[in-house]
Amino acid sequence: IYLSVIAWAYAIGSVRALLQDRGFREALGLQRFERQVRQLREPFVIVAGFGQAGEVVARSLDRRDRRLVILDVEPARIEALDLVAFRSDVPGLAADAGNPYELRRAGLLNKHCAGVIALTNDDQANLAITMTSALLRPDVPVVCRTMEDVLIDRISAFGSPLIIDPFNLYGDELLVALRAPRTHQLISWLTANPGDALPGVMRLPRQGRWVICGLGRFGGHLAADLVRHRIPVTVIDPAGGTRDGVEVIAGDATDPDVLARADLLNAVAFAAATDNDVTNLSLLVSARRLNPDLFTIGRQNDPSDGPLFEQLSLDSTLIPTRLVAQEVLARVVEMPISRAV
């Protein structure tokens, strides 16, 4: 009897230790994921990247009764899937979606795979996802997010992916609002997320000079779009120099003397386009103090800073993740979904 008790105690302890082993739990989770993907019998979309934009897209697609398979390199995000109130059972795996083997495991070769959405925060990984999808499943539509100009041509070389660049997209929408405000309002209504308040008409100044602080990708695209439509622009950036025919005031825009050189009193619009939310907020407050009549645009890099930007009541706010999510949803709804037989 004593020996059997010792044996049972040892066996129970071994089983408990095995269940607590991380590798064993990951193996069980992997088997469960592969089983869920194999059991899918209706069209589904692979979402690579469950960050801020990926979560918005996944929630909206689920509300539209689209089946999903989610990949993300961060295990914490996959674990959070259990806390999201999805209508259907959504398989999720913590893996590098840029790895072709992981995409195959997620069901890329499954006849029910109806599309791939690459929304990771690594543009190189998004390029790898597009490349893998184009080579292994050229018939499957791909949506790819990118924040780098140099990768757009490389991504376009693989099939016909839909490339979403939030900075280019925002500039295009701003010019539509400038030329046809009602058309821009209609587009905003059609691409708004379910439950969001419908935006009003954006009244941009049709004449006058714009001031842009920050000549990164967003500021550079915005300045180029305005110059292309013969709108005078003044740019403030620490590098200075000239870009695309625009003279750049060298210096830190948070310095009152540098901001004064931009002559905001005779400007009609001001855009805080740096990649730092604190800097953008301080620039917007300073600009409004100098000229309360300015049309103001702010770049919000972190969605958690939303309450601060909302308190300023800006005329327009660029939130890259939200803009990407809206464009993806507008395009994915148009994806041809055909049930395999």
Side-chain angles (χ1 to χ4, degrees):
I1 293 175
Y2 288 138
L3 290 175
S4 63
V5 170
I6 293 174
W8 276 105
Y10 176 78
I12 293 173
S14 299
V15 171
R16 289 187 58 187
L18 182 62
L19 293 176
Q20 293 175 353
D21 182 72
R22 181 178 178 180
F24 179 74
R25 287 188 286 111
E26 289 179 352
L28 288 179
L30 180 59
Q31 289 184 355
R32 178 173 177 268
F33 173 80
E34 292 179 337
R35 183 171 60 254
Q36 288 177 309
V37 173
R38 286 196 305 267
Q39 291 175 351
L40 289 173
R41 294 294 181 269
E42 54 188 313
F44 64 89
V45 177
I46 299 175
V47 179
F50 195 63
Q52 296 157 351
E55 183 175 354
V56 173
V57 169
R59 286 177 179 271
S60 298
L61 290 178
D62 181 69
R63 285 196 293 266
R64 292 178 169 89
D65 296 324
R66 294 287 181 87
R67 296 302 303 271
L68 305 169
V69 175
I70 294 178
L71 294 176
D72 195 284
V73 72
E74 293 292 339
R77 293 176 180 173
I78 297 301
E79 293 173 0
L81 281 175
D82 296 332
L83 304 178
V84 181
F86 286 122
R87 293 182 177 180
S88 59
D89 188 16
V90 177
L93 179 66
D96 180 11
N99 186 334
Y101 184 75
E102 301 297 349
L103 275 178
R104 295 178 62 181
R105 178 175 283 165
L108 179 62
L109 301 183
N110 190 312
K111 64 181 180 180
H112 297 287
C113 181
V116 178
I117 304 174
L119 295 178
T120 75
N121 57 6
D122 183 351
D123 282 1
Q124 292 292 338
N126 292 337
L127 171 61
I129 294 167
T130 304
M131 177 182 65
T132 302
S133 302
L135 296 177
L136 299 183
R137 285 293 304 274
D139 58 311
V140 171
V142 179
V143 179
C144 178
R145 187 222 72 166
T146 182
M147 307 282 273
E148 300 181 24
D149 289 333
V150 295
L151 291 182
I152 292 179
D153 291 338
R154 295 174 61 187
I155 295 173
S156 301
F158 295 97
S160 301
L162 172 65
I163 302 174
I164 298 178
D165 179 356
F167 300 134
N168 266 325
L169 186 62
Y170 182 84
D172 293 341
E173 291 187 356
L174 204 63
L175 293 176
V176 172
L178 185 65
R179 296 192 301 263
R182 293 294 182 182
T183 301
H184 177 266
Q185 183 185 28
L186 179 59
I187 295 174
S188 301
W189 287 359
L190 295 175
T191 58
N193 294 324
D196 289 353
L198 296 179
V201 179
M202 186 185 297
R203 301 292 185 182
L204 276 79
R206 293 180 175 272
Q207 295 180 345
R209 183 173 53 87
W210 289 51
V211 177
I212 300 175
C213 289
L215 200 59
R217 288 203 64 241
F218 173 48
H221 280 298
L222 181 58
D225 289 337
L226 293 172
V227 169
R228 192 160 51 246
H229 287 75
R230 299 180 181 179
I231 298 175
V233 180
T234 299
V235 178
I236 303 175
D237 191 80
T242 302
R243 178 171 174 179
D244 297 327
V246 179
E247 184 178 355
V248 182
I249 298 176
D252 184 359
T254 58
D255 185 346
D257 294 335
V258 175
L259 199 61
R261 290 166 56 192
D263 191 17
L264 289 179
L265 289 176
N266 294 313
V268 297
F270 178 85
T274 76
D275 58 0
N276 185 290
D277 285 351
V278 175
T279 300
N280 289 340
L281 288 168
S282 64
L283 289 172
L284 290 164
V285 172
S286 300
R288 275 188 169 173
R289 186 180 297 115
L290 294 173
N291 186 351
D293 297 327
L294 286 171
F295 183 92
T296 51
I297 298 175
R299 173 181 172 183
Q300 179 186 329
N301 302 280
D302 188 348
S304 63
D305 292 327
L308 302 179
F309 282 86
E310 291 173 3
Q311 192 65 29
L312 289 180
S313 300
L314 302 177
D315 295 296
S316 180
T317 304
L318 166 63
I319 309 175
T321 54
R322 180 185 297 177
L323 190 58
V324 168
Q326 289 176 347
E327 185 67 12
V328 168
L329 291 173
R331 300 291 185 167
V332 169
V333 170
E334 301 172 358
M335 278 186 177
I337 301 296
S338 59
R339 294 181 179 275
V341 294

